[in-house]
Amino acid sequence: MFSPVGRALRHYRREHLPVALATAVAAAVLVGALVVGDSVRGSLRAAFTERLGAVDFAILPQHAFSDDPETGFPARLAAHPDFGARFAEPAPIYRLSGAVLVPGDDPEPVSVFGVDDRFFRFHGIADGETGGVASGAVRLGPGLSRYGWSAGDSLLLRIGAPAAIATASFFGEKDDASVTLRRAVEAWPDPAPGPASGSFSLFPGQGPVAAVFLPLRELRRALDEPVRPPRANALLVRALPGARGGDGESEDALTRAVRETAALDERGLSLRQGRTGEAVLESRSLVLSDRVVTGALAAAAELGRSAAPVLAYLATAIRAGDRQETPYSLVAGLPADLLPEPPAAGSDEAVLYPGAWLAEDLNLSPGDPVDLEFLLWEDAGRFRSGNVRLAAAAPVAPAGVFADPALAPDFPGVSDAERMGDWDPPFPVDLGRIRDRDEDYWEAFRALPKAFLQLEASQRLFPMREGRATSIRFAPGPEEPLVRALVGGLPPEDFGLRPAPLRREGLEAARGATDFGAYFLYFSWFLLVAAFVLLVLLYRLGIERRLREIGMLLATGWTTRRVLRTLLLEAGWVALVGVAAGALAGLGYAWAMVWSLSGVWAGAVAGTFSASGGDAAALQLFASPGSIVIGAAGGLLAALFAAWQTGRRLVRRAPRGLLAERLEDDEGPEALPGGGPVSRRLAPFTSLCLLIGTALLAAAALGVLPEAAGFFGAGSALLVASILFGWDRLRLAGARGRGGAWRLRSLAFRAAAFRPGRSLAVMALIASASFTLVAVEAFRKAPEPGRLPDGTGGFVALAETVLGLPWDPASADGREALNLPPEPSGFGIRPLRLAGEDDASCLNLYVPSRPRVLGMPRDLAEENRFPFSAHVGETPEEAENPWRLLYRERAPGAPIPVIGDQNSMTYVLKWPVGEEREFPLGEGGAGVRLRLVGALWDSVFAGELIMAEEDLLTHLPATEGYRFFLMEDTAPGGGTLLAATENAATDRLGEALGDYGATVATTRARLASFHRVENTYLSTFQALGGFGLLLGVFGLGAVLVRGAAERRREWGLLAAAGYRGRDFLLLGFWENALLLVSGLAAGTLAAVLAILPVLGQREPGGSLAFVGGLLLAVLVSGLAAGAVATRAAGARPILDSLRSG
Amino acid sequence: MPAGAGGSGLTVAGLVKDYPTPTGLLRVLDGVELALRPGASAAITGASGCGKSTLLFLLGAMEAPSQGEVRLDGVDPHELEPDDQARFRRERVGFVFQDHCLLPQCTAYENVLAPTLPDPRADDARRALYLLDRVGLADRRGHLPGELSGGEKQRVAIARALIRAPRLLLCDEPTGNLDGESADRVAGLLLDAAASEGGRIVVLVTHDQDLAARFPDRFTLAGGRLG
């Protein structure tokens, strides 16, 4: 017995080879695209894990913790039984933001790490034995290598000093809190990838690591921290082998250990004893948050101890009429039950309870009007004066609580001053107003409050965003139970004392916001289609040579099912060979794509991968078995489908026709499906397409549709109409007896029309491909010369600083306080606050888990300067200005409304407008629920979410001052060249904000950076689509070869009748040219219509020249392929042709 | 019948044709001699595989001889350059094959005109219609080969072969695939082709003895020689 499949595989191997090749192409494209996705994900993963080093978890609390070797937080945590069993010795570090001052250039933002030998031992770096970074030196991360610093060079490092008291608080230091150090650069002694060469980062990010490492103790000294206890603000944790970071049990154990270890100090809280035995709870940030107050009061209630919140504040003056004034006096708000003769419940009367000293100083009698003046710090970054008239109550005796200095917390720059004249507070004081009497009081009583108010009244008068109390007084009692109750009632997570599973979260983010596998499948769409069409054509061409064989099998009793199964089995073996070759070729294709993404298409990955690595992450080839299997399976399915589709049609035909080797197309063009005169059937559809196209053009012209959409739609309709028209023309070319001259090219056109299905398929493929390649130009984003795009909101430049500006640089006071030059005429600065970490734009390949958030000031929102593409506005006011959605009233606990950029929301965060999402943006990574209420169109805010400034200040961790700035040209009438304006704006911004580590750019450049990613996608699509088109054109050549082979006897007869070699070449040329030129012409003309608006708006760029060159290459190579095919077909001697039947 | 004076007519002298095979040269024609005057009609018969078609292809300059010469009106086509050879076939030789070799996508009329396309002349269209009428297919001129019977297709092939009024008409088993009536009709047309338009030489190769008997000059090819 013989195997018919095996025999056929051997005998028809020449027919099978091109089919296998076409299958290989399809499989290669599928495998390659998927492997590109694997490679990007794998490279992101590799880059992240390399930079993370040995870190599995990190604890990043709100307050710096004690690093005392015996009693500090790391020591206590390491001693916890749950910790020691699973984790290695933790490494405390100081983690800050800073900037390296580069001579002649903008400051370079850097991450600053204060480290000691524990850091190096943690990462297994031998350097830990020698203590790490030398005294007086710094080591640099690879991201700074481009500045060329070498060992021994000196550099200036500016570090944003952490402040326990928020800068944006009334009590916070507003002056420049950064420190500048000059240090010598030290080389890494044994550089290796990762932390051993300074490539260290806790969070996933692209681009080179710009980090500076200096000795921990020196950093503490530079920050002017107390020697004891030494502090750190980040604790790195590494799981022991066998208990890796991804294990949920490890995370639970660590959480448990932190909960049971974290003391009041780690929460930034402390207890001290009041004068009368009370325990007084205070915060290092000076103000107790509402959550702390609530928890503390609950703890007190649990112990059955009374507790009293206190709010201490500074009055700039207390004045009694036009008489005396007492300057700079502390005032304390106390609960009513602590005050003598409190006003009646529900009374609105505001009463001041003067201390005895104040009553005497102002000669107060009960009932006297007293004016209280004070300063408030506004969110807008400026002080505001406030004053209130109160009624004086009877003086309170300096005894008990009223004589307790513990009523007032330690105000920095105030409490530790020997004299009032030595005060250096974070708010303006006129020390000239201080009298000797005031100095006497200070000497005797220090910061003891001179007057008292009702707590609620003081909270109303002195509103602070951070909280409404400066201390809580607990009734006297044992301290330990109170501490236990407080620790138990104040969850450590509220203070950022939660283990952040950085490795797990980072690996999650490394899945990538952009699925490059899917994108390359889209880009390779035409390659896939061309490969499939070629596969079908080649398979069909091959099987049509075996019509008599199939007819014979059917005539001798094989069932159609059996014949089809045999054909499929044969096709399957061929496909397997093709797929195996294709899988290998796919790896090569992926390698070429990866190489291109590191080079000519680097824009698609925001230019953050380099071919050689260097100081940037390297894009490497990673291939998962799954991708190879899926790609190969896709190729196999395509081949089997082609075989099934072709075989199914053939085996259903009558054996007689098969034995006569009659193809259905032999009936001529009028036998197209549906029968009847084709023109009559096609004309309505052609007309309909033209009508639709015209309607779309009219709609665009009238403004009903966006211009781009109208023209693109019209172009698409014209393409369909062209293909239908081409089909009709083919049919007419095949019609008989139409008269007219009968020429050589008429014979060629008749040959093309004789196989209308094949010819139409090739023509339609070429038309569609050329249309798409050209028409996508409509989506390429290019700046219009001399005009600011709408997405800039009319701003010419923007800047982002490493260090926050507490003052509003747009105000005169702010500029004076910040030592900024006077506002340049013709420019205005609009400051915004910034929270979060991760860039949400297409420039970030990692999934942004903590997206950056900008706080939109209400006045800027009301200007409605940025266009929207979608929003959930319901009222006419919201529809008129969707920014108002940020300020819509909402129920307590409702998600915070945010606005984002359309592209970022669609492609990066995949977040539809109207939906809610939770992000770990809260204190210590707590979740914050947001609702996307609007999407901006092509804006400069592609990297950020935008919420109301008030919401940002309320719900997100303290954002120290302003860090994002927009600059606009306010010169009347404008008129200067945009480029000149941009240069001036960026210079001014850089000059003004340079000391704060500002990165400055024009808004057009920022938009261009986003567009570069999208435009690179388009270029990639065009390039790969061009390859697909070329493949389609070669497919045309294959059709010609096959067609010539079918017509060898006819050509033999023509040769016998005296046709010369060049006559055959002309025949082939005309037939080829008909299909090629009509396809290209139909597609290109329709595409030109589609992009007419774009052509009118901007200068034809390099991309149009590229596409034009591509189409020309397609035309030339197509004609050449046809000539080669024709020549090959005519190569055999005439006699053989005639004998071939 | 000897060729006419002045070198007109068809003369074949010492024609030899060898084919290479794995075991050495295979001599198919071994010194064929032939001379036909203008207007002659000759039938060549012989056993299957004796070389009849080979001789025909050599006469029509579709294949080169190993030795010997062929002259038509004094011109040896095998001495011509390829383009001249093609013109020679186009203008002086007509072929009719057993398998009609019509172009399936062209109508009868267009098939008749097919040989003229490389070098069209003003009266080609008129002559094509005339020839179709002569073969009795004037009313079928707009039909595709798929719509014609075997005999009709062969008649179209004859009209095509005569489009340029060739001096030499070569027919290879023209009735091999036809029924008796069609074959008879085709034979009549071929004989008529010799008689009409003065001076045409018709050479027909067949194994049909009855058909061969209708031709005035009859030869048998055996052993590589004409007898």
Side-chain angles (χ1 to χ4, degrees):
Chain A
M1 285 294 287
F2 72 97
S3 160
V5 170
R7 292 286 178 86
L9 282 171
R10 256 193 313 276
H11 182 76
Y12 293 108
R13 58 187 177 277
R14 258 191 288 189
E15 281 78 14
H16 290 322
L17 180 59
V19 173
L21 282 175
T23 308
V25 169
V29 172
L30 284 170
V31 168
L34 294 174
V35 169
V36 167
D38 290 344
S39 299
V40 171
R41 277 191 298 275
S43 301
L44 291 176
R45 203 165 44 236
F48 165 67
T49 53
E50 180 182 287
R51 293 171 182 190
L52 189 64
V55 178
D56 291 312
F57 301 91
I59 299 167
L60 307 168
Q62 189 182 346
H63 298 276
F65 52 84
S66 165
D67 185 30
D68 184 278
E70 305 289 330
T71 61
F73 177 58
R76 283 182 281 119
L77 183 66
H80 191 283
D82 271 343
F83 189 94
R86 292 176 174 271
F87 303 98
E89 180 196 0
I93 63 173
Y94 233 119
R95 180 178 149 256
L96 299 166
S97 297
V100 168
L101 305 181
V102 182
D105 208 334
D106 290 338
E108 176 72 30
V110 294
S111 300
V112 179
F113 296 106
V115 297
D116 61 16
D117 56 313
R118 288 172 291 179
F119 174 82
F120 295 98
R121 280 202 304 275
F122 182 91
H123 289 290
I125 302 171
D127 201 28
E129 303 309 320
T130 56
V133 185
S135 177
V138 291
R139 292 185 192 170
L140 306 181
L144 298 173
S145 61
R146 68 178 182 277
Y147 295 110
W149 281 301
S150 47
D153 288 347
S154 167
L155 62 74
L156 278 174
L157 174 65
R158 198 178 174 88
I159 306 172
I165 305 172
T167 308
S169 162
F170 171 76
F171 302 108
E173 181 55 63
K174 311 286 184 298
D175 287 342
D176 181 9
S178 61
V179 297
T180 303
L181 307 174
R182 180 175 289 282
R183 287 290 184 272
V185 174
E186 177 184 270
W188 292 88
D190 197 11
S197 58
S199 183
F200 175 68
S201 174
L202 292 177
F203 300 101
Q206 298 155 219
V209 176
V212 175
F213 299 80
L214 64 163
L216 181 57
R217 64 182 178 286
E218 287 189 6
L219 180 57
R220 287 168 177 154
R221 211 161 43 235
L223 297 175
D224 208 19
E225 287 208 340
V227 174
R228 304 226 67 84
R231 292 197 178 268
N233 68 357
L235 189 64
L236 309 180
V237 178
R238 169 168 66 95
L240 291 170
R244 291 305 302 173
D247 182 3
E249 282 184 24
S250 292
E251 193 171 335
D252 291 343
L254 184 57
T255 303
R256 212 161 36 241
V258 169
R259 272 206 195 116
E260 293 171 10
T261 307
L264 286 179
D265 181 70
E266 279 77 62
R267 292 163 169 81
L269 300 171
S270 62
L271 274 175
R272 62 168 165 159
Q273 193 151 47
R275 186 175 180 152
T276 48
E278 295 93 347
V280 180
L281 181 71
E282 294 173 318
S283 168
R284 288 210 291 276
S285 58
L286 226 63
V287 180
L288 298 173
S289 68
D290 288 351
R291 197 156 20 181
V292 170
V293 170
T294 306
L297 292 178
E302 201 178 287
L303 292 174
R305 281 164 77 161
S306 62
V310 175
L311 173 58
Y313 206 80
L314 185 79
T316 52
I318 304 176
R319 196 175 288 113
D322 295 329
R323 304 196 297 271
Q324 203 73 320
E325 80 157 28
T326 305
Y328 302 119
S329 307
L330 252 82
V331 175
L334 298 173
D337 56 348
L338 293 182
L339 293 168
E341 300 169 22
S347 163
D348 282 342
E349 189 182 352
V351 176
L352 181 88
Y353 299 83
W357 188 95
L358 180 68
E360 186 197 332
D361 190 43
L362 294 179
N363 198 18
L364 285 174
S365 299
D368 282 352
V370 178
D371 291 316
L372 193 68
E373 291 179 5
F374 47 90
L375 283 176
L376 296 171
W377 176 254
E378 289 192 316
D379 291 339
R382 54 177 172 259
F383 285 107
R384 175 172 64 86
S385 297
N387 64 74
V388 64
R389 176 158 285 188
L390 305 165
V396 295
V401 62
F402 302 107
D404 189 354
L407 281 174
D410 283 335
F411 289 105
V414 170
S415 301
D416 53 356
E418 287 296 318
R419 306 171 53 250
M420 286 185 73
D422 294 335
W423 275 14
D424 184 20
F427 42 81
V429 290
D430 178 3
L431 297 177
R433 292 165 60 197
I434 297 172
R435 307 161 299 175
D436 291 341
R437 213 178 132 67
D438 301 314
E439 290 287 4
D440 293 340
Y441 182 93
W442 183 261
E443 188 178 348
F445 304 109
R446 282 289 196 268
L448 179 68
K450 292 177 184 157
F452 304 89
L453 298 169
Q454 262 208 61
L455 180 63
E456 290 80 13
S458 67
Q459 289 171 339
R460 257 196 329 272
L461 289 172
F462 315 127
M464 290 182 292
R465 188 172 288 286
E466 304 80 51
R468 296 183 298 163
T470 50
S471 62
I472 296 180
R473 301 173 66 84
F474 299 92
E479 185 171 303
E480 203 176 306
L482 178 61
V483 168
R484 266 203 310 275
L486 286 171
V487 163
L490 298 172
E493 293 83 14
D494 291 350
F495 302 89
L497 290 160
R498 65 174 70 227
L502 297 184
R503 183 174 296 275
R504 176 168 59 76
E505 288 178 350
L507 289 175
E508 200 48 41
R511 281 184 299 111
T514 305
D515 187 345
F516 276 86
Y519 273 39
F520 268 81
L521 278 178
Y522 304 148
F523 297 157
S524 309
W525 173 246
F526 273 110
L527 256 181
L528 283 170
V529 170
F532 184 71
V533 170
L534 195 59
L535 181 63
V536 171
L537 279 175
L538 288 171
Y539 185 79
R540 195 171 169 198
L541 290 172
I543 207 71
E544 283 171 0
R545 298 194 67 182
R546 299 163 64 180
L547 292 181
R548 291 173 64 123
E549 175 187 329
I550 296 171
M552 185 275 295
L553 290 175
L554 291 171
T556 54
W558 282 46
T559 62
T560 56
R561 203 162 48 245
R562 174 112 193 236
V563 172
L564 185 59
R565 197 162 62 229
T566 305
L567 290 175
L568 284 177
L569 203 55
E570 190 182 328
W573 281 109
V574 174
L576 276 175
V577 171
V579 151
L584 279 173
L587 293 175
Y589 177 74
W591 178 87
M593 296 301 106
V594 164
W595 180 81
S596 301
L597 284 173
S598 300
V600 64
W601 292 333
V605 290
T608 51
F609 286 113
S610 86
S612 60
D615 62 354
L619 186 54
Q620 306 164 56
L621 189 68
F622 287 89
S624 71
S627 293
I628 296 174
V629 167
I630 291 171
L636 184 66
L637 282 173
L640 289 176
F641 178 77
W644 175 75
Q645 185 69 0
T646 306
R648 195 173 65 105
R649 269 191 17 254
L650 285 177
V651 300
R652 289 208 300 233
R653 296 189 47 220
R656 182 185 171 185
L658 292 169
L659 285 166
E661 293 185 294
R662 263 210 306 274
L663 297 170
E664 61 195 10
D665 284 348
D666 276 349
E667 300 304 324
E670 285 194 344
L672 287 168
V678 178
S679 281
R680 275 213 304 274
R681 291 168 65 85
L682 285 180
F685 293 104
T686 311
S687 305
L688 182 64
C689 286
L690 288 175
L691 195 65
I692 291 171
T694 309
L696 288 169
L697 277 176
L702 292 170
V704 174
L705 268 181
E707 203 174 40
F711 275 82
F712 190 87
S716 305
L718 180 62
L719 173 71
V720 175
S722 302
I723 293 173
L724 291 173
F725 181 73
W727 189 2
D728 202 37
R729 288 292 105 185
L730 271 180
R731 179 255 163 204
L732 284 176
R736 80 284 299 274
R738 285 285 173 133
W742 179 242
R743 301 252 185 272
L744 198 65
R745 65 169 177 268
S746 315
L747 185 60
F749 293 168
R750 184 68 59 81
F754 191 66
R755 297 279 191 263
R758 255 186 242 170
S759 300
L760 186 66
V762 173
M763 194 193 87
L765 175 65
I766 293 172
S768 304
S770 54
F771 171 81
T772 307
L773 291 184
V774 177
V776 292
E777 279 299 309
F779 301 102
R780 187 176 296 277
K781 290 178 177 160
E784 295 170 52
R787 186 182 169 273
L788 281 174
D790 291 340
T792 63
F795 293 100
V796 293
L798 49 82
E800 185 176 328
T801 57
V802 173
L803 309 175
L805 275 67
W807 300 88
D808 177 4
S811 69
D813 289 345
R815 301 185 73 78
E816 186 187 337
L818 291 167
N819 273 334
L820 297 179
E823 182 167 354
S825 62
F827 289 106
I829 298 179
R830 311 295 287 272
L832 292 91
R833 298 176 196 277
L834 177 64
E837 306 240 359
D838 301 331
D839 185 346
S841 76
C842 53
L843 299 178
N844 181 16
L845 297 185
Y846 290 94
V847 175
S849 55
R850 297 180 181 79
R852 287 152 56 97
V853 183
L854 284 175
M856 174 62 66
R858 193 149 204 167
D859 57 346
L860 182 56
E862 277 301 312
E863 292 174 25
N864 195 14
R865 296 173 71 150
F866 299 87
F868 280 77
S869 62
H871 61 82
V872 300
E874 291 163 355
T875 66
E877 292 76 23
E878 289 168 351
E880 183 194 335
N881 180 2
W883 289 103
R884 292 173 181 150
L885 289 163
L886 296 181
Y887 298 92
R888 196 201 257 180
E889 269 194 44
R890 60 182 191 267
I896 304 168
V898 292
I899 288 168
D901 177 83
Q902 173 73 53
N903 283 342
S904 300
M905 298 305 106
T906 302
Y907 299 113
V908 180
L909 289 173
K910 299 174 179 58
W911 188 7
V913 171
E915 290 199 0
E916 294 178 21
R917 196 71 74 85
E918 186 169 298
F919 294 95
L921 290 166
E923 193 65 66
V928 177
R929 265 196 321 135
L930 308 176
R931 182 174 180 238
L932 186 66
V933 297
L936 297 172
W937 176 255
D938 195 28
S939 77
V940 290
F941 300 125
E944 294 85 28
L945 300 173
I946 306 167
M947 65 170 56
E949 187 177 46
E950 292 139 33
D951 283 331
L952 185 139
L953 288 169
T954 304
H955 297 283
L956 302 193
T959 53
E960 298 292 349
Y962 298 100
R963 290 182 49 216
F964 194 94
F965 305 88
L966 296 165
M967 183 169 243
E968 59 184 327
D969 177 10
T970 57
T976 43
L977 283 175
L978 181 57
T981 306
E982 287 173 335
N983 288 339
T986 51
D987 287 345
R988 297 286 169 82
L989 263 183
E991 190 185 301
L993 305 172
D995 284 349
Y996 294 86
T999 312
V1000 184
T1002 64
T1003 50
R1004 286 203 300 170
R1006 185 166 166 103
L1007 277 182
S1009 69
F1010 301 138
H1011 295 165
R1012 195 171 305 123
V1013 176
E1014 300 169 42
N1015 289 343
T1016 307
Y1017 290 162
L1018 287 180
S1019 298
T1020 309
F1021 176 73
Q1022 286 175 322
L1024 293 177
F1027 290 139
L1029 187 53
L1030 274 174
L1031 192 64
V1033 163
F1034 288 132
L1036 175 59
V1039 171
L1040 285 178
V1041 168
R1042 179 56 194 150
E1046 286 171 350
R1047 287 176 277 159
R1048 285 194 64 74
R1049 281 189 62 77
E1050 299 153 27
W1051 281 24
L1053 180 277
L1054 294 175
Y1059 275 45
R1060 300 153 295 190
R1062 63 174 176 270
D1063 298 318
F1064 290 108
L1065 277 177
L1066 276 175
L1067 274 178
F1069 170 81
W1070 284 118
E1071 184 178 347
N1072 188 25
L1074 170 70
L1075 299 179
L1076 188 56
V1077 171
S1078 60
L1080 283 175
T1084 307
L1085 278 173
V1088 167
L1089 177 65
I1091 65 170
L1092 262 181
V1094 175
L1095 288 178
Q1097 281 167 11
R1098 58 181 171 89
E1099 295 154 16
S1103 59
L1104 276 179
F1106 168 74
V1107 173
L1110 190 63
L1111 293 175
L1112 188 62
V1114 166
L1115 178 65
V1116 168
S1117 56
L1119 292 174
V1124 167
T1126 307
R1127 187 174 281 280
R1132 288 168 62 190
I1134 296 171
L1135 188 59
D1136 287 351
S1137 306
L1138 290 169
R1139 283 180 174 158
S1140 64
Chain B
M1 285 279 206
S8 61
L10 177 68
T11 55
V12 178
L15 203 62
V16 173
K17 181 64 184 176
D18 296 321
Y19 287 105
T21 72
T23 52
L25 287 176
L26 174 65
R27 179 154 290 192
V28 176
L29 298 177
D30 190 14
V32 170
E33 303 282 340
L34 180 65
L36 295 172
R37 69 184 186 290
S41 302
I44 300 175
T45 59
S48 256
C50 69
K52 301 188 298 296
S53 297
T54 302
L55 175 59
L56 214 63
F57 293 154
L58 289 172
L59 294 180
M62 286 196 290
E63 194 170 14
S66 304
Q67 288 177 49
E69 65 172 26
V70 174
R71 287 188 180 276
L72 179 65
D73 293 338
V75 177
D76 184 348
H78 299 294
E79 291 174 354
L80 299 174
E81 295 297 320
D83 275 1
D84 293 329
Q85 207 176 73
R87 189 167 63 243
F88 178 88
R89 286 199 301 276
R90 194 161 61 239
E91 294 174 359
R92 297 195 184 203
V93 184
F95 289 93
V96 179
F97 297 100
Q98 176 178 3
D99 175 354
H100 48 81
C101 288
L102 294 185
L103 304 178
Q105 67 269 30
C106 299
T107 62
Y109 169 74
E110 291 161 352
N111 264 289
V112 171
L113 277 176
T116 68
L117 298 183
D119 185 20
R121 291 175 191 164
D123 67 339
D124 284 340
R126 187 194 55 76
R127 181 162 174 82
L129 291 172
Y130 163 72
L131 287 169
L132 279 171
D133 186 54
R134 281 290 304 278
V135 302
L137 290 173
D139 59 337
R140 306 294 294 279
R141 64 179 180 272
H143 286 231
L144 294 170
E147 296 161 350
L148 302 174
S149 68
E152 288 169 339
K153 282 188 271 202
Q154 199 63 297
R155 282 188 272 158
V156 172
I158 292 170
R160 180 185 61 197
L162 296 175
I163 186 66
R164 279 286 162 85
R167 280 288 277 171
L168 178 63
L169 181 64
L170 301 172
C171 310
D172 185 7
E173 298 280 8
T175 60
N177 290 343
L178 304 178
D179 59 86
E181 186 182 335
S182 300
D184 191 54
R185 192 161 180 184
V186 165
L189 284 171
L190 292 174
L191 286 165
D192 184 55
S196 66
E197 296 183 331
R200 181 172 296 125
I201 301 168
V202 177
V203 178
L204 175 139
V205 159
T206 183
H207 62 266
D208 184 347
Q209 295 296 336
D210 292 335
L211 174 61
R214 293 173 67 170
F215 281 70
D217 300 309
R218 292 182 294 280
F219 302 90
T220 301
L221 185 63
R225 290 176 181 240
L226 273 179

